[in-house]
Amino acid sequence: MRRYASYLVFSVVIGISILSWSDSFGQRKRITGQILNSKTLHPIPYASIRILGTYEGTSSNSEGEFSLLTSSKDSLNISSIGYKTKVVSSEEVKNSVFLEEDIKVLNNVVVYAKTVSPFKIVQNAFNNIAKNYISKPFKMKTFYRHYCKDDSLYGRLIEAAVDVYKPTGYGKPKSSLFVNDAIQLIQSRRSYDKTFIRERHAPISYRFVLGGDLAAYQNRQKKPIPYMLLNGSVKYFRAGMKNYNYELEETTYLDGEEVFVIRFSANPWWNSKNMDLEEIFVEHHGKFFIAANNYAFLKLESHVTVGTKKTTDRIFYKKGKDGYYISNIVHDNLFNIDTDSSEISHKVHIELLVNDIIIGEDSEFKNVPITREILAANVYNPLFWDNYVTLSENPLESQIKKDLEKNQRLEGQFEAKSQADFEMYEDISQDYLSLNEILSDSKNELIYIDFWASWCRPCITEFNKSKKVVEAYANKGVRFIYVSLDDRKEKWSRMKNRFGLAGHEHLRIGSYSSILQDYEIKEIPRYMLIRPDGTVIENAPPPTAAEFSQIIDNELKLIGKANN
């Protein structure tokens, strides 16, 4: 339990900091409002709302609504590309805030189209990242919201407060996430997962959505376009720039300064190159919004279609006194899932809001990746959320509560889910330690390990076919251990009893155990053979394979010779 206990200590330390942080903001009150176009009265989505002179703030949602903790002395800076920035007192925000469109009658678009290369503008934006973005050490406080639905029914909600520390600021874009950066989960609240693919859902996709910060993370290895689109278009964009067409669509304005709007689209001939994608429709297009005076990225809209899978990313940046920084990321993903009886449309929506930036070194900040164990140890604290800046719920998102609260209120689910996960990972941590001990010390036995899960059909098929073979070699002294990747104890117990495996050794390490990464176990069923001398055959054949008996018989003969 030593490994798991460290997570509990971390949770307690965070809990103490939460209480002190809440008390320090006791004089603040939460204000709500809606940002509207003064001419059309239409909502302005994803507008930036910042407390003047600070990095604290929020963003409006898709309906222009926002919520923010402020004091009566605060003034708010409200801005959005294409609108005149407005400064209002927090006391003035009663319901609606109106922004005027920033329209200038100029012939700049015609001039730029003849003299400026759109490709060069985008290239200059990447080349000027180190100059334009915060270069000092800083910590950003973020709010994460993630929900999923099958067809029209919402089935999952996750919200989290996460701190990210950049000890060297932005600098040049890193090739992968958290090369130098550090991360800590402060608090989370999660509903039960009722979606069809709940067994395969990642516990949280924070790393994935943060990877949308194209100013911070760019993979420099050149990849073909299909690979880029299948594995995240944004972080591969700089490497594949020449594989796109660019067009200067228009100029607009932010804070009175011109902004280039550049449309991009992937070259069609890449669609059938490599990876046998001839039969799959592949398409990528979008827009860059780049400041004309310094080539800073202000916004990116990216739309990717690969077959029936559609992904949309909206990435927003904000200028502070120390430079630009990521302010908001909105990610939508839509794909189809085949079930036994029909096809389900699965939608994923994730938003990441940076609600504050703290400039300066933080030598005490420790990197603690958000694993299932960390989530399980993070005890739900409802008081924390009363004093934390979150995104306002969209009117459509109010349906989430109706769908998820059919059997239990969300507050009750947050409490129950937190407790259930804590108990579940107490069991998993014990089995993790047991398997780790087996892998490090085979105790002069021939050990055969079967990695499986209750939702893996090939695993179950193999169980049925291999019963006699397994029993025969178990009687000859081979130690069979079944290691489940199930997270839910009930399903694991039910399945192992159903298929007559109860008489064998069983361990459950969950679907995100570090052992899976250590041995690169990406697919199951997967089999491993450990010799008495401790050497490991990491890709052993299944019991029903023709070579299984030959290999095991040979190993048993070697053991017999060694003993004699």
Side-chain angles (χ1 to χ4, degrees):
M1 291 297 289
R2 186 177 303 164
R3 177 173 177 266
Y4 191 67
S6 65
Y7 298 136
L8 301 185
V9 172
F10 175 77
S11 180
V12 171
V13 171
I14 292 298
I16 293 171
S17 66
I18 288 169
L19 294 176
S20 61
W21 184 87
S22 300
D23 292 341
S24 67
F25 287 90
Q27 301 302 315
R28 294 192 169 192
K29 66 176 182 179
R30 189 176 294 275
I31 62 171
T32 59
Q34 187 177 30
I35 313 298
L36 301 174
N37 182 313
S38 62
K39 183 178 179 180
T40 66
L41 302 184
H42 292 159
I44 301 177
Y46 311 118
S48 172
I49 302 99
R50 300 281 152 176
I51 297 175
L52 196 64
T54 76
Y55 285 100
E56 294 179 67
T58 187
S59 167
S60 64
N61 62 21
S62 62
E63 296 298 316
E65 299 168 336
F66 72 93
S67 169
L68 183 63
L69 289 166
T70 67
S71 71
S72 58
K73 297 179 181 179
D74 290 332
S75 293
L76 306 182
N77 179 293
I78 303 173
S79 62
S80 182
I81 294 175
Y83 294 87
K84 293 180 180 179
T85 298
K86 190 170 188 176
V87 177
V88 298
S89 165
S90 63
E91 294 290 290
E92 295 179 49
V93 179
K94 304 299 181 184
N95 188 11
S96 301
V97 178
F98 300 93
L99 296 186
E100 296 181 31
E101 293 180 11
D102 197 350
I103 302 173
K104 292 183 175 67
V105 181
L106 295 173
N107 293 321
N108 286 356
V109 175
V110 176
V111 174
Y112 286 138
K114 293 180 179 179
T115 62
V116 179
S117 162
F119 173 84
K120 285 290 186 183
I121 294 173
V122 178
Q123 190 175 55
N124 285 339
F126 278 113
N127 292 339
N128 282 278
I129 285 173
K131 182 177 71 174
N132 284 325
Y133 291 77
I134 298 176
S135 59
K136 301 175 182 178
F138 71 93
K139 178 172 71 177
M140 58 185 187
K141 303 178 77 66
T142 73
F143 169 72
Y144 169 95
R145 174 177 290 152
H146 179 163
Y147 60 76
C148 302
K149 65 178 181 179
D150 290 338
D151 290 334
S152 61
L153 188 67
Y154 291 97
R156 182 193 194 198
L157 173 65
I158 306 169
E159 293 182 333
V162 181
D163 286 356
V164 178
Y165 177 54
K166 292 180 174 291
T168 58
Y170 268 87
K172 293 183 179 180
K174 311 297 187 298
S175 60
S176 60
L177 270 67
F178 305 119
V179 172
N180 296 319
D181 303 342
I183 185 174
Q184 287 182 1
L185 174 70
I186 305 302
Q187 178 65 195
S188 68
R189 53 185 180 186
R190 295 168 292 144
S191 73
Y192 287 114
D193 190 344
K194 301 177 182 179
T195 62
F196 183 79
I197 59 172
R198 54 185 173 272
E199 300 294 343
R200 288 172 278 165
H201 261 153
I204 191 168
S205 297
Y206 188 89
R207 285 177 61 97
F208 172 80
V209 72
L210 186 63
D213 185 351
L214 83 163
Y217 311 108
Q218 284 296 310
N219 193 306
R220 297 175 186 176
Q221 184 178 359
K222 296 186 184 301
K223 298 285 184 180
I225 280 286
Y227 183 88
M228 289 168 57
L229 301 186
L230 290 170
N231 292 274
S233 61
V234 173
K235 67 180 180 180
Y236 287 100
F237 199 99
R238 188 176 190 180
M241 275 187 64
K242 293 182 180 179
N243 303 318
Y244 286 81
N245 296 311
Y246 302 87
E247 177 187 352
L248 181 60
E249 183 177 273
E250 63 174 332
T251 58
T252 184
Y253 299 89
L254 177 66
D255 296 334
E257 299 287 344
E258 284 184 299
V259 176
F260 294 124
V261 181
I262 297 176
R263 180 182 293 275
F264 65 84
S265 58
N267 291 327
W269 68 272
W270 279 87
N271 294 354
S272 60
K273 285 284 183 179
N274 301 315
M275 296 186 66
D276 299 322
L277 291 176
E278 290 88 348
E279 302 301 321
I280 300 177
F281 176 75
V282 179
E283 194 260 351
H284 184 201
H285 72 274
K287 295 179 182 179
F288 284 108
F289 295 74
I290 298 172
N293 63 334
N294 58 12
Y295 297 107
F297 286 116
L298 302 176
K299 180 182 174 182
L300 168 67
E301 293 179 0
S302 170
H303 306 275
V304 177
T305 301
V306 180
T308 60
K309 181 178 180 180
K310 296 182 179 180
T311 302
T312 297
D313 288 290
R314 298 179 182 88
I315 301 162
F316 302 82
Y317 293 90
K318 180 70 178 173
K319 186 178 182 180
K321 59 182 180 179
D322 299 286
Y324 291 87
Y325 61 96
I326 190 80
S327 63
N328 199 19
I329 300 175
V330 183
H331 172 84
D332 286 288
N333 195 358
L334 180 67
F335 56 93
N336 296 329
I337 302 169
D338 290 322
T339 71
D340 292 334
S341 57
S342 63
E343 190 175 70
I344 294 175
S345 174
H346 186 79
K347 179 181 179 181
V348 178
H349 177 85
I350 306 175
E351 288 195 56
L352 181 69
L353 166 72
V354 176
N355 56 35
D356 198 8
I357 295 281
I358 301 169
I359 302 293
E361 293 185 5
D362 187 348
S363 59
E364 301 297 318
F365 200 102
K366 304 298 182 184
N367 184 40
V368 186
I370 307 175
T371 61
R372 287 184 184 263
E373 291 92 342
I374 287 294
L375 285 167
N378 191 265
V379 180
Y380 170 60
N381 181 355
L383 293 177
F384 171 87
W385 295 103
D386 292 336
N387 297 282
Y388 197 73
V389 175
T390 65
L391 289 160
S392 291
E393 293 178 0
N394 295 331
L396 287 176
E397 290 173 350
S398 63
Q399 185 63 38
I400 295 175
K401 291 184 177 180
K402 293 181 181 178
D403 289 347
L404 294 179
E405 290 185 339
K406 290 182 177 179
N407 298 317
Q408 185 180 15
R409 290 182 59 82
L410 271 178
E411 281 295 322
Q413 288 189 48
F414 295 152
E415 292 277 4
K417 174 72 172 168
S418 179
Q419 180 62 30
D421 282 355
F422 179 84
E423 294 173 356
M424 176 175 64
Y425 277 93
E426 277 192 314
D427 292 341
I428 283 180
S429 62
Q430 289 282 14
D431 284 357
Y432 165 87
L433 292 173
S434 297
L435 180 58
N436 213 30
E437 185 177 346
I438 291 167
L439 291 169
S440 60
D441 183 8
S442 60
K443 296 180 181 179
N444 297 317
E445 296 176 287
L446 185 60
I447 301 174
Y448 186 82
I449 300 177
D450 182 340
F451 291 91
W452 70 288
S454 63
W455 39 263
C456 171
R457 291 183 182 179
C459 301
I460 305 303
T461 300
E462 185 66 29
F463 290 159
N464 289 328
K465 293 180 179 179
S466 63
K467 281 183 180 179
K468 291 182 179 179
V469 175
V470 169
E471 292 301 329
Y473 280 101
N475 292 331
K476 293 180 181 180
V478 179
R479 182 180 173 188
F480 288 87
I481 302 175
Y482 293 86
V483 179
S484 171
L485 275 58
D486 279 290
D487 292 312
R488 296 172 64 189
K489 185 176 182 178
E490 300 79 14
K491 228 175 179 184
W492 167 64
S493 297
R494 188 165 59 248
M495 292 298 280
K496 71 178 183 180
N497 291 331
R498 179 185 298 178
F499 292 98
L501 303 173
H504 296 282
E505 282 186 78
H506 287 273
L507 298 173
R508 182 171 60 100
I509 61 171
S511 57
Y512 285 84
S513 172
S514 60
I515 288 176
L516 303 180
Q517 281 77 51
D518 293 342
Y519 290 91
E520 297 184 352
I521 299 174
K522 298 177 180 178
E523 295 181 350
I524 52 174
R526 172 78 176 271
Y527 307 95
M528 192 179 290
L529 186 64
I530 306 177
R531 297 186 175 105
D533 64 1
T535 58
V536 178
I537 299 176
E538 294 186 15
N539 285 285
T544 55
E547 65 269 28
F548 175 83
S549 295
Q550 182 180 349
I551 290 174
I552 299 298
D553 287 339
N554 185 55
E555 293 295 334
L556 289 173
K557 287 178 182 178
L558 292 174
I559 293 172
K561 288 181 180 180
N563 291 335
N564 293 329

